[in-house]
Amino acid sequence: MTSVSGVDGTGNVANQAAQARLTTDTQSFLRLLTAQLTNQDPLQPVDPTQWVTQLAQFSSVEQQVSSNTMLAQVLGELRIGSDRADMSYIGRSVEIVSSQVGVKGGQLDARYILPAGTVSADVRLLDRDGNLVHTFAAQTTPGAHELSWDGVKADGTMVADGTYTLAVDARDEKGAALKSEVTYNSKVARVRREELDTLFELENGATVGRYDIVSAS
């Protein structure tokens, strides 16, 4: 099943409530204004400047609420357009840059990229709790290295399907840590919204964010 949840309407609801309250307050103000004009002392009339100031304040609030309503509508349209764009990824192959990798059917396919100056490297697969699942024989040559694993752990058991962390620890000749990258390709199986984030569930079992996707085909 493929889906994207609807646009968050919290802003629209808040603006509708503000608009309704403004209408009520304006009507109350006009009734009060009429009563004051009708019952004021002709010998000591209220300063007209006060009426103008109050009317200006109400006008300013009305314009602000109206602007907020229009902004909420624009944001809603942008969100709908973004959702449609996200849904277009379903079924497409995407390239991901993320250490969060997926294992499905015991199969893991990824690549790690070592920077220039690397003299030693350690590649490990960790579970969600940070526990070591498997250690790979790592290359040390700078550049991209393919990694493919059948899911069989050192004790002969099969790793469970799910999302794992592929931790790459690259070091230079002085033992200082170097920045490395993990990338892989998979097809998008489902798109869903979680709070204000869009998440892409991949066929390899991983779940990534929009900004983890660097290309699509």
Side-chain angles (χ1 to χ4, degrees), residues 104-119:
K104 188 172 183 179
Q107 187 64 36
L108 167 65
D109 292 292
R111 69 187 67 87
Y112 57 96
I113 304 174
L114 300 177
T118 299
V119 297

Side-chain angles (χ1 to χ4, degrees), residues 99-100 122 124-135 163-167:
S99 60
Q100 302 302 305
D122 179 53
R124 297 169 297 152
L125 190 69
L126 310 176
D127 64 17
R128 292 181 181 273
D129 298 322
N131 300 314
L132 178 64
V133 176
H134 190 73
T135 300
T163 301
Y164 295 83
T165 298
L166 192 63

